[in-house]
């Protein structure tokens, strides 16, 4: 029986420590790069969430062997060559999984159908398929969406592509395709986007160049095996940053082992601009990624005009930012964030509906949201199957004027399977309602 809903009551002083689970983006890349390496890749801290497990199962269906090492580690053994899978590859809810796999497989003479759940089958795939076709890939989509059909093609021609949106998924898909292409594949970006693919390719010995302009890889190239440590996911830590700022006690809430790659931490800057007190401690580097422990104190927060350059650096954190804004003093304005409409849900519309259900005044714009801060009432909100919307409203409930029921929360397992237990562990009053008990 899966968890259908949460009922969360306003909480007093949240306190304690949370070990933040592994980074979802990096865990996908461990599977994908491990599957096409020249030797086994071992990883510690891999995120065992539904999204990353879907990518694991896809790589196994293509011939990779994945084994647990017993000490929390996991080994990905690449086959000599990937083979066409016997059945469609199901990426579940994961846009990262399907888009990066399209790039990885495009030049490897694979016949495959790539698909996913109802949410994924509404999301745009041509942003990846179209540039891959210009490299010589043979790919079909259904009106631009999954299922995606790949036909055997290769070798690909390396090419330069100027991305119209700052999308790390598009950039990464093309770089992964570039591993199987002859020559230099170059991807330029209109703004900085997350760079985990570039960092991991470099750590695994591939000839890659990267900067604010984008990235390039010289193919053909095969990542060497080795060992990587996956840092905690900043996007999961985000909910506890928000919770600590809104409902912390006298002592700080501590978040351990969090990845603080600057292409991911836009929210940190935004929360500080709003008056949030957050400290980074024990800054260190693990396998090319910066990691820190975070301490967050309850703070008086005010609204912010979000600088457009920070949007791609905080792209997954807007559900959390929106609830912080609704509970802060003054107005928050977000523009230039139209990408939020094609995430796991239309996050502008779904968050606007949820905030309005809790009494907030919001104005929806095509590319953002204007939020009048000042407080939230209790009530019922529908996450519409979006994991980050569900977790954001659980945090909002800590400071709402009454209990909040959040519907359709099962997909939280796609990114943060232990969220409810971790939140309860620091004092959030969260009850899980199983199927049939959510009325
Ligand atoms: C991701 C990139 C982002 C982000 C997604 C994960 C990645 O998407 O929203 O959750 O792992 O590369 P876009 O690059 O499409 O913005």
């Amino acid at each position: 029986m899966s968890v259908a809903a949460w009922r969360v009551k306003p909480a007093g002083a949240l306190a304690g420590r949370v070990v933040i689970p592994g980074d979802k983006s990096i865990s996908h890349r461990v599977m994908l790069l491990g599957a096409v390496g020249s030797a086994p890749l071992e990883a510690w801290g891999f995120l065992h969430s539904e999204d990353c497990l879907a990518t694991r199962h896809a790589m196994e269906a293509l011939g990779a062997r994945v084994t647990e090492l017993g000490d929390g580690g996991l080994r990905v053994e690449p086959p000599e060559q990937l083979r066409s899978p016997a059945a469609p590859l199901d990426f579940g809810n994961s846009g990262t999984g399907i888009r990066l796999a399209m790039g990885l497989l495009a030049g490897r003479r694979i016949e495959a159908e790539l698909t996913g759940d109802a949410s994924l089958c509404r999301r745009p795939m041509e942003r990846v398929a179209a540039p891959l076709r210009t490299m010589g890939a043979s790919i079909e989509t259904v009106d631009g969406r999954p299922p995606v059909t790949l036909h055997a093609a290769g070798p690909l021609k390396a090419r330069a592509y100027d991305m119209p949106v700052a999308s790390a998924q598009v950039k990464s898909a093309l770089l992964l395709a570039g591993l199987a292409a002859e020559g230099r594949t170059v991807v330029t970006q209109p703004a900085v986007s997350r760079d985990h693919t570039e960092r991991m390719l470099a750590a695994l010995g591939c000839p890659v160049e990267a900067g604010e302009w984008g990235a390039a890889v010289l193919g053909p190239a095969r990542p060497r095996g080795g060992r990587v440590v996956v840092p905690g996911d900043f996007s999961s830590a985000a909910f506890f940053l928000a919770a600590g700022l809104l409902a912390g006690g006298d002592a700080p809430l501590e978040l351990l082992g969090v990845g603080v790659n600057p292409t991911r931490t836009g929210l940190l800057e935004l929360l500080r601009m709003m008056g949030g007190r957050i400290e980074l401690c024990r800054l260190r580097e693990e396998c090319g990624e910066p990691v820190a422990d975070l301490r967050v104190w309850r703070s008086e927060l005010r609204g912010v005009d979000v600088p457009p350059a920070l949007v791609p650096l905080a792209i997954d954190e807007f559900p959390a930012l929106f609830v912080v804004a609704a509970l802060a003093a003054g107005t928050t304005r977000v523009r230039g964030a139209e990408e939020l409409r094609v995430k796991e849900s239309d996050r502008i519309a779904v968050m606007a509906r949820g905030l309005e259900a809790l009494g907030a005044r919001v104005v929806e714009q095509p590319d953002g949201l204007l939020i009048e801060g000042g407080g939230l009432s209790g009530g019922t909100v529908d996450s519409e199957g979006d994991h980050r919307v569900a977790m954001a409203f659980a945090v909002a409930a800590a400071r709402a004027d009454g209990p909040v029921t959040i519907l359709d929360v099962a997909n939280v397992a796609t990114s943060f399977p232990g969220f409810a237990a971790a939140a309860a562990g620091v004092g959030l009053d969260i009850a899980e309602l199983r199927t049939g008990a959510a009325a």
Side-chain angles (χ1 to χ4, degrees):
M1 206 165 50
S2 64
V3 177
W6 291 328
R7 189 160 296 143
V8 189
K9 294 191 185 143
L14 303 182
R17 297 177 152 193
V18 184
V19 179
I20 299 298
D23 187 283
K24 181 155 74 75
S25 288
I26 296 176
S27 295
H28 282 297
R29 287 155 172 84
V30 163
M31 281 297 157
L32 295 160
L33 291 180
V36 295
S38 57
L41 179 62
E42 295 179 343
W44 282 264
F46 179 86
L47 177 67
H48 294 278
S49 74
E50 288 175 2
D51 277 9
C52 302
L53 290 176
T55 296
R56 169 184 173 164
H57 293 142
M59 294 306 111
E60 287 174 320
L62 291 157
R65 203 171 110 84
V66 183
T67 44
E68 314 284 335
L69 295 175
D71 60 352
L74 164 151
R75 175 186 290 130
V76 188
E77 287 174 56
E80 196 40 53
Q81 269 196 334
L82 296 181
R83 58 163 189 255
S84 297
L89 300 175
D90 184 353
F91 287 91
N93 197 237
S94 179
T96 306
I98 194 169
R99 293 194 181 111
L100 270 56
M102 285 166 69
L104 187 82
L105 302 182
R108 294 179 189 270
R109 303 190 191 285
I110 298 283
E111 297 276 341
E113 183 180 309
L114 283 57
T115 190
D117 68 9
S119 152
L120 189 59
C121 287
R122 287 193 291 269
R123 297 180 66 187
M125 295 297 135
E126 280 298 322
R127 52 178 57 197
V128 174
L132 287 174
R133 279 188 208 109
T134 70
M135 296 173 76
S138 174
I139 305 184
E140 288 160 32
T141 63
V142 180
D143 293 332
R145 301 184 168 80
V148 173
T149 308
L150 279 180
H151 297 293
L156 301 181
K157 296 182 288 293
R159 59 155 293 177
Y161 182 65
D162 190 20
M163 283 193 298
V165 283
S167 166
Q169 293 183 354
V170 175
K171 177 177 62 174
S172 300
L174 298 179
L175 293 175
L176 295 179
L179 293 177
E182 195 72 46
R184 193 162 173 262
T185 298
V186 185
V187 190
T188 45
Q189 54 189 3
V192 175
S193 63
R194 68 187 66 187
D195 64 0
H196 302 302
T197 304
E198 299 89 300
R199 286 177 189 248
M200 200 182 289
L201 284 172
L204 299 179
C206 290
V208 61
E209 296 158 61
E212 293 192 354
W213 54 271
V217 68
L218 187 64
R222 231 173 153 174
R224 62 171 176 241
R227 298 172 152 226
V228 296
V229 176
V230 179
D233 198 324
F234 184 84
S235 297
S236 297
F239 301 104
F240 289 97
L241 286 178
L245 291 176
L246 294 169
D250 294 335
L253 194 61
E254 293 186 77
L255 314 179
L256 307 183
V258 185
V260 288
N261 178 322
T263 63
R264 293 289 298 281
T265 52
L267 180 75
L268 205 57
E269 281 181 59
L270 292 171
L271 293 174
R272 284 177 170 158
M273 287 165 70
M274 296 177 86
R277 181 176 168 203
I278 302 168
E279 281 178 10
L280 269 60
C281 332
R282 291 206 326 115
L283 196 59
R284 55 223 189 246
E285 192 171 302
E286 282 168 5
C287 306
E289 291 279 351
V291 179
D293 297 337
L294 308 183
R295 290 166 148 204
V296 51
W297 282 263
R298 186 179 181 121
S299 306
E300 292 298 318
L301 300 167
R302 53 187 178 274
V304 67
D305 277 346
V306 172
L310 287 183
V311 169
L313 308 183
I315 193 67
D316 290 339
E317 280 61 78
F318 282 97
L321 181 80
F322 291 157
V323 302
V324 171
L327 291 158
T331 305
T332 292
R333 291 178 195 83
V334 180
R335 302 301 303 266
E338 57 275 16
E339 276 294 297
L340 294 179
R341 295 207 180 267
V342 290
K343 293 296 177 189
E344 287 83 328
S345 70
D346 175 344
R347 286 187 175 153
I348 295 176
V350 174
M351 286 302 301
R353 282 196 280 277
L355 289 169
E356 278 171 345
L358 302 183
R361 285 181 47 209
V362 304
V363 181
E364 199 179 319
Q365 272 137 1
D367 62 342
L369 209 54
L370 187 145
I371 300 172
E372 297 289 349
L376 292 171
S377 64
T380 297
V381 297
D382 191 342
S383 81
E384 303 192 30
D386 187 321
H387 56 133
R388 298 200 201 283
V389 172
M391 290 185 274
F393 280 112
V395 170
R399 269 286 291 280
D401 295 338
V404 177
T405 299
I406 303 146
L407 305 177
D408 200 359
V409 301
N411 274 343
V412 168
T414 63
S415 70
F416 198 160
F419 172 78
V426 295
L428 196 72
D429 188 338
I430 179 166
E432 296 187 319
L433 311 176
R434 308 258 154 196
T435 314

